Amino acid sequence: MRRYITQRLLSAVIVLFGVSILVFMVLHLTPGDPVEIMLGPTARPGDIERLRAELGLTDPLPVQYVRWVSRALQGDLGRSIQLNRPVLPELLSRFQATLILAVAAAIIAFSLGLLLGVISAVNHNKLVDRVVAGFAMLAVSMPAFWVGMIGIVVFAVNLRWLPASGMYPPQGAPSWGKLLVHLIMPATTLALVPMAVIARFTRSQMLEVLGQEFVLTARAKGVPRARVIVDHAFGNTLVALITLLGLEAGILLAGAVYVETVFAWPGIGSLMVEAILKRDFPIVQGGVLVIATSYVLINLLTDLLHAAADPRIRVT
Amino acid sequence: MPPEPILRVRGLKTQFQSAAGVVRAVDGVDLDIYPGEIVGIVGESGSGKSALAYSILRLTSGRIVAGEVQFRGQNVLELREAEMEKLRGDRIAMIFQDPMTSLNPLMRIGTQIGEALRYHLRLGRRAAAAKAAALLQAVHLPDAERRVHDYPHQLSGGQRQRVVIAMGMSCTPDLLIADEPTTALDVTIQSQILNLISETRQRTSTAVLLITHDLGVVAQLCDRVAVMYAGQVVEQGRTADVFADPQHPYTIGLLRSTPHGRRRGEPLRPIPGQPPRPGEIAAGCPFAPRCHLAEARCQHQAPDLIHIGGGRQARCLLRTEVAYEPAP
Amino acid sequence: MSEISSPTSAANQVAGAYAGRRAADMPLARLVRNRMAMLGLAVIVVVTMLALLAPVLPLADPNAINTSARLKPPGSPDAVLGTDQLGRDILSRLIWGARVSLLVAVLAAGIALSIGTLIGVLAGYFGGLIDNVFMRLIDVLLAFPYVLLAIALVSALGPGLINAMIAIAIVNISFYARNVRSAVLSVMSMEYIDAARAAGASHLRIIALDILPNMIAPIMVLVSLNIGWMVTETAGLSFVGLGAQPPTSDWGSMLADGRRFILVAPHAIMMPGIAIVLLVFAFNSLGDGLRDALDPRLREGGR
């Protein structure tokens, strides 16, 4: 177990190193002079020179990289060109909003996905199973940004049940209740694809487990069918489901970009889209770095959790 | 007066729906098992021997379309599912082929053995754990007290099969159905497990229905044997009798094709051809296409299982019924 | 009796014993029997034909602005699916937009497939150091939630349809590389590869004659499962303004245009959205059908 953890930590560090190089290179892959692009055609030559020196772009690449990484490790990701503020605090406050959205969506996705998957598996090849399969197929085929807009038209514009955008109403003090109301639509929209993925995975995993001999053994022991499903099949399915956590986190973080744009949710995804359109490179760079790092950590956590839950890995 | 059989199977038919049509996996099987005896069922894979075993416990995924399975006078096919669950693991237990897959990888073995105890004997958690340790001791698992806390992957294949047997024997059933219990094991472990089964039978007087394709296992362990082919019993009788003087051409072929059955110095002779495919079983004797003795009438006349004396039966047109054998 | 033991139990034991392949079990026949997959194929064929024939179809000019006919609802006499905020015919724009969306998706899939297959075959075939280096690189690519990597790349290359396509292609290399690699590994364990080696066949010959032919089935499955994602991803990038730039427009930019008018003219987002869902659904059901027919073991793998 200890060796496994060390191994996983080490590979996470290597991946993060690769991520940092890739993110660093993003700025240098840009065709043309990044500084001129950032400042636009109206910039004065003096400003260009000043920003170039400020960004250290005149040094050799490895020097720039080392400086950039060591600053990043100290929490200094530079200043946003548009907002003229340090990048990190801005990113973190936006990331918080994304996390709230993603966690809410994850809760919806896992509870409904598990339920649908188990129902499907237990009613294998019956009508319910087919309906769920069709629904799951439809859910993964619908782009979140479109579903979100339909939701706005139906629930915000026509029915007036839910707010169309934002985290809180424009006026008045923020509160948990208001947050919750604002969360319902974006979180449900974001949950759709991961829910379908979980439902399909749970179904196939349950079917596989139910077909294994130890399930038959339990039945032969006289364990009632419902208890076999709960005690033997579901436990094994859950452990397998842990491996899906990382993938789900990826789907959620990616989907958040679109959902945040549609619902004007003040998260890191919509911030990055704005930043790219406005050529605010430090924000883009920092944002990619923050999201990729947290994604690597989530995957690391997933593996460790899986190892802890499965005795076959735990002991060795 | 002969004792009453604890299990009396009559005319059992189990069918599967497959892409290729209806598969008659069990096609009218009669079988009696008396208290404390070991009965072997042999046949090639696909002969329906496993489907028969699963059908007795009503765990088959196929459909039981006809027949009776009387256990101590009660037709289990008429029981409600809840009553069936009370019978399973308590009075009739079953163990499976592969000890690698027949244990839940996420559950401690003590808990798995304890399950049947808790459902059937209403033991508490602690009492079940203590009994589980005792059961493991009885199957000679070293260090049983500590082993109850192990997970299946921490045990070797042979040790796991001991656990599986302990699990099957936990409520001291009247009948233990063992489906190829040694097939997945090393040869040296095989004989240990067979000895264990035989020893367990003597200690508890539990009857054993042993499904196997290995005539050697039958010779070593079984009091009586039934040979299955294409879903039917084609010959049955006392093991010694059947081995010494096989009556059905298929049994003769089986014996000649294995080292246990052939006479010394005789070469191994496999049975030519393949078992019939589902839907291809035409009129007549299913074994006729492979039979070296087949006559013209075998192609269109299906043989009945006939009594040929000495408690023996064979399903072959070339045998003549012995009149004095009382009908069952 | 009880379904609980269904998939692998006795039915298969029995049927397996009589194993013999009949015509009805062949992959193509299995695919044709799958009604959802056939429906998907039909939708794909129709959409592709419409896109190819756009120039000769009797359609309004997709870019003809008519301010007097803005945001007309569907069912209008001269605009069956209505018009957008500039009075352009939505049906015509949908069909012309299909050219863009399909072309980008197919090209991106082609690029990702070629590079990914190359990496997967090299890594799987040679193993060792090559495998290690490639797989670490893939791990780095996989460290980004996929849209994020596309966004990072677009930010470097600049917004635009071509750049969006390149970004999406790069993002999906890892998908092909990993799946092809594992398919190669399973072929490598076959005895005829050892036999070819023992007979002194060159690496190139083994790869070309023994490995690649075995990759065709898994690759067909991968592509059909992946292309639906490509369509959504392209539309998504265009929707947030990082893909197609005016005057070029695809279904995603049509959605972005319509978004500003969802209060008064929801049909402007309904039509392109339904088009995307229909096409993606078609690719996904065809992909599922292909997978079930060709390689059931690929189930639920990848993304």
Side-chain angles (χ1 to χ4, degrees), chain C residues 23-246:
Chain C
D25 299 331
M26 298 305 271
L28 192 65
R30 278 207 300 268
L31 182 65
V32 171
R33 271 209 312 271
N34 186 334
R35 259 177 295 165
M36 288 300 285
M38 284 300 102
L39 194 69
L41 184 63
V43 170
I44 294 165
V45 169
V46 169
V47 173
T48 313
M49 290 308 287
L50 284 175
L52 286 176
L53 295 176
V56 297
L57 291 174
L59 292 168
D61 179 349
N63 295 316
I65 294 171
N66 180 358
T67 42
S68 64
R70 301 173 64 222
L71 298 174
K72 280 215 261 173
S76 306
D78 45 345
V80 186
L81 296 183
T83 60
D84 70 0
Q85 79 282 3
L86 297 174
R88 297 175 292 193
D89 182 60
I90 289 186
L91 175 64
S92 169
R93 289 179 67 69
L94 271 184
I95 293 178
W96 283 89
R99 289 168 78 88
V100 179
S101 291
L102 271 177
L103 186 66
V104 170
V106 169
L107 282 181
I111 298 171
L113 166 70
S114 328
I115 302 177
T117 304
L118 185 68
I119 293 178
V121 167
L122 291 181
Y125 182 79
F126 289 107
L129 184 66
I130 297 179
D131 187 23
N132 255 313
V133 170
F134 274 132
M135 285 305 115
R136 285 291 90 76
L137 288 176
I138 296 295
D139 280 349
V140 172
L141 284 184
L142 284 172
F144 298 88
Y146 63 100
V147 172
L148 186 82
L149 182 58
I151 283 180
L153 291 167
V154 169
S155 83
L157 301 170
L161 199 55
I162 305 280
N163 291 345
M165 182 193 78
I166 295 172
I168 288 170
I170 293 177
V171 168
N172 282 282
I173 289 175
S174 51
F175 170 74
Y176 289 101
R178 293 222 303 185
N179 283 301
V180 168
R181 174 177 173 270
S182 66
V184 170
L185 286 181
S186 72
V187 174
M188 293 283 290
S189 62
M190 303 281 172
E191 274 172 15
Y192 60 81
I193 301 288
D194 292 334
R197 278 203 177 135
S202 68
H203 291 315
L204 196 65
R205 191 183 163 81
I206 295 176
I207 290 178
L209 295 184
D210 295 317
I211 307 267
L212 285 181
N214 281 296
M215 295 298 107
I216 292 172
I219 283 175
M220 274 168 64
V221 176
L222 293 175
V223 169
S224 57
L225 285 174
N226 186 235
I227 252 183
W229 280 105
M230 297 261 179
V231 171
T232 331
E233 286 170 34
T234 319
L237 287 178
S238 289
F239 176 74
V240 295
L242 302 178
Q245 305 292 315

Side-chain angles (χ1 to χ4, degrees), chain B:
Chain B
M1 194 176 101
E4 277 296 299
I6 51 160
L7 187 80
R8 175 186 284 246
V9 178
R10 284 296 175 271
L12 187 66
K13 293 189 178 184
T14 302
Q15 300 181 345
F16 292 91
Q17 203 66 49
S18 84
V22 172
V23 179
R24 290 181 297 177
V26 179
D27 198 18
V29 165
D30 295 350
L31 185 72
D32 290 328
I33 296 175
Y34 293 90
E37 69 171 344
I38 300 186
V39 177
I41 305 236
V42 278
E44 291 164 290
S45 52
S47 60
K49 53 195 196 304
S50 287
L52 169 64
Y54 285 78
S55 297
I56 292 171
L57 269 182
R58 287 176 40 188
L59 284 175
T60 173
S61 54
R63 221 158 49 86
I64 299 175
V65 292
E68 282 183 10
V69 177
Q70 286 197 5
F71 177 72
R72 299 201 300 192
Q74 162 79 269
N75 185 0
V76 303
L77 299 184
E78 288 166 354
L79 291 178
R80 284 181 294 115
E81 182 59 23
E83 294 171 318
M84 195 67 218
E85 276 160 4
K86 279 189 192 139
L87 211 59
R88 284 188 202 123
D90 185 30
R91 296 296 90 218
I92 310 178
M94 180 157 178
I95 61 179
F96 297 90
Q97 176 170 1
D98 190 352
M100 297 295 167
T101 55
S102 56
L103 293 169
N104 184 340
L106 298 183
M107 213 183 249
R108 294 176 199 279
I109 58 172
T111 318
Q112 296 195 53
I113 298 173
E115 256 186 323
L117 300 169
R118 295 178 64 190
Y119 280 104
H120 298 301
L121 306 183
R122 301 270 150 218
L123 294 188
R125 205 174 279 268
R126 189 168 303 170
K131 181 82 193 288
L135 284 163
L136 285 180
Q137 224 139 35
V139 295
H140 312 305
L141 192 74
D143 217 1
E145 290 286 340
R146 278 195 307 142
R147 285 296 195 177
V148 290
H149 301 294
D150 279 0
Y151 287 95
H153 73 272
Q154 291 167 282
L155 276 60
S156 70
Q159 289 174 329
R160 285 190 217 191
Q161 201 61 315
R162 287 177 191 272
V163 171
V164 168
I165 291 171
M167 217 159 72
M169 294 306 299
S170 56
C171 300
T172 334
D174 299 319
L175 174 63
L176 177 72
I177 302 175
D179 185 10
E180 306 259 8
T182 57
T183 306
L185 301 173
D186 288 344
V187 183
T188 46
I189 311 291
Q190 277 187 12
S191 67
Q192 290 177 16
I193 295 296
L194 292 177
N195 287 337
L196 177 64
I197 290 176
S198 147
E199 174 199 324
T200 306
R201 186 265 305 253
Q202 264 153 21
R203 184 161 44 83
T204 59
S205 72
T206 291
V208 179
L209 178 62
L210 185 77
I211 316 287
T212 181
H213 65 272
D214 187 343
L215 286 172
V217 170
V218 174
Q220 187 181 340
L221 212 58
C222 298
D223 304 310
R224 287 193 303 125
V225 58
V227 180
M228 275 188 82
Y229 187 79
Q232 298 178 327
V233 172
V234 294
E235 170 157 12
Q236 61 176 304
R238 276 190 293 276
T239 309
D241 297 346
V242 172
F243 274 61
D245 181 22
Q247 291 297 305
H248 194 281
Y250 178 63
T251 316
I252 298 171
L254 267 189
L255 287 169
R256 281 193 183 153
S257 66
T258 55
H260 290 278
R262 116 203 105 142
R263 287 187 192 89
R264 188 177 295 274
E266 217 178 330
L268 289 182
R269 252 179 285 165
I271 307 174
Q274 292 290 320
R277 293 182 186 187
E280 282 179 8
I281 302 173
C285 173
F287 186 64
R290 300 171 72 186
C291 182
H292 63 291
L293 299 174
E295 301 172 359
R297 58 181 172 143
C298 298
Q299 308 292 344
H300 46 81
Q301 189 185 345
D304 291 322
L305 194 61
I306 52 171
H307 296 267
I308 51 177
R312 300 188 58 186
Q313 298 168 315
R315 192 185 287 274
C316 181
L317 294 172
L318 308 180
R319 306 291 154 200
T320 38
E321 189 149 7
V322 176
Y324 56 80
E325 183 87 19

Side-chain angles (χ1 to χ4, degrees), chain A residues 146 200 210-211 261 276 295, chain C residues 4 8 143 151 259 269-270 288:
Chain A
W146 183 66
R200 291 167 80 157
L210 286 177
T261 306
I276 293 175
Y295 187 47
Chain C
I4 204 162
T8 53
I151 283 180
R259 184 182 167 212
I269 58 157
M270 281 311 287
D288 265 22

Side-chain angles (χ1 to χ4, degrees), chain C residues 222-282:
Chain C
L222 293 175
V223 169
S224 57
L225 285 174
N226 186 235
I227 252 183
W229 280 105
M230 297 261 179
V231 171
T232 331
E233 286 170 34
T234 319
L237 287 178
S238 289
F239 176 74
V240 295
L242 302 178
Q245 305 292 315
T248 311
S249 95
D250 67 350
W251 293 347
S253 57
M254 288 177 74
L255 280 175
D257 289 342
R259 184 182 167 212
R260 287 177 285 151
F261 303 94
I262 65 180
L263 293 184
V264 286
H267 73 269
I269 58 157
M270 281 311 287
M271 299 307 163
I274 290 173
I276 295 175
V277 174
L278 205 63
L279 186 60
V280 175
F281 192 91

